[in-house]
Amino acid sequence: MNEVTTLATLVTVHIIALMSPGPDFALVVQNAGRYGRQTGIMIALGLSLGILLHSILSLTGASLLIQQQPMLFSLLQAAGGSYLLWLGIGALKGTWRHLKQKRQPPAEEQGGTGQTARVLANRKQALLKGFTTNILNPKALVFFISLLSTLVPASMSLGGKVSAIGLLWLTSFLWFATLAWLLTGERLQKKIRHWTPAIDATCGLLFATIGSLILGNLALHS
């Protein structure tokens, strides 16, 4: 298999994985739907930077070293599971608050600046949230170790490996940014606002379930 074929296979498998519902997907849906396009795209950038770091660590062997060190991997699992659980609880609390306040006028009807200010104030927070969600996900670490060790041979040239890292980052950013862009279309936004409690509840349950499973599995094997 030549390098072009290897890269094409790598990108195809990665795109399929990106399209599978998970914490990254849910984070974009929840935040783009609630805070708007700019926040959604910053979340996408943060997620893609997390994937970029995972790719670099996997190709350099650092991720494999972490996985082979029980203490380090357990710490990562504990941090990742706790963070996802925290996100889930936060989303469920947000659902409850939204249901209590649903009769109040939305921020854009109270002067038109509240939502914009919140979006602008949260750009850096959105970037960090996306990055943290991806980099602390122990399943992502295992996935990239498996993906890159299987599809990227040790004999691949440095240029090929750099291209692999770049393509993984680019496809990740384009996918999540496109998702954020589509979710913030004017017509869809009107529908999303109506379904905000359901979206928050679904994402919250997903985050909390995955986080609890990671922590539960860690507790069983400790």
Side-chain angles (χ1 to χ4, degrees), residues 18 24-25 28 40 44 47 51 171-180:
L18 288 172
D24 294 351
F25 187 95
V28 175
L47 290 169
I51 289 171
T171 53
S172 302
F173 175 69
L174 290 177
W175 163 250
F176 289 125
T178 300
L179 180 62

Side-chain angles (χ1 to χ4, degrees), residues 22-214:
D24 294 351
F25 187 95
L27 194 70
V28 175
V29 171
Q30 182 191 23
N31 286 275
R34 168 172 284 192
Y35 299 117
R37 182 165 293 168
Q38 292 179 344
T39 297
I41 291 176
M42 291 306 289
I43 289 279
L45 179 58
L47 290 169
S48 67
L49 289 175
I51 289 171
L52 175 65
L53 183 55
H54 270 304
S55 302
I56 293 172
L57 293 176
S58 296
L59 279 181
T60 57
S63 290
L64 184 60
L65 179 63
I66 292 173
Q67 188 184 30
Q68 291 177 341
Q69 297 296 319
M71 182 60 71
L72 284 176
F73 193 51
S74 294
L75 288 173
L76 176 63
Q77 288 180 302
S82 299
Y83 183 70
L84 290 174
L85 182 59
W86 176 76
L87 285 180
I89 292 172
L92 293 173
K93 285 182 177 178
T95 302
W96 177 248
R97 286 195 299 268
H98 186 90
L99 291 173
K100 289 176 64 177
Q101 299 172 359
K102 64 180 180 180
R103 293 183 181 180
Q104 297 181 3
E108 58 267 23
E109 294 178 12
Q110 300 174 358
T113 58
Q115 178 72 2
T116 301
R118 181 165 54 179
V119 169
L120 294 176
N122 279 323
R123 284 182 180 176
K124 291 181 180 179
Q125 182 182 351
L127 176 68
L128 182 60
K129 194 171 187 178
F131 177 79
T132 305
T133 300
N134 184 269
I135 202 65
L136 286 181
N137 186 352
K139 292 187 176 181
L141 180 142
V142 175
F143 170 75
F144 282 103
I145 291 174
S146 302
L147 179 69
L148 295 173
S149 63
T150 302
L151 295 179
V152 177
S155 59
M156 177 178 274
S157 67
L158 178 60
K161 291 179 179 179
V162 171
S163 297
I165 292 172
L167 286 170
L168 289 175
W169 171 80
L170 183 61
T171 53
S172 302
F173 175 69
L174 290 177
W175 163 250
F176 289 125
T178 300
L179 180 62
W181 186 275
L182 293 174
L183 288 170
T184 50
E186 186 176 347
R187 291 183 180 179
L188 192 55
Q189 270 290 291
K190 292 179 181 179
K191 295 180 180 180
I192 287 176
R193 289 191 190 103
H194 178 72
W195 289 102
T196 292
I199 292 172
D200 278 354
T202 302
C203 293
L205 286 173
L206 178 64
F207 291 139
T209 299
I210 295 175
S212 298
L213 287 174
I214 291 172

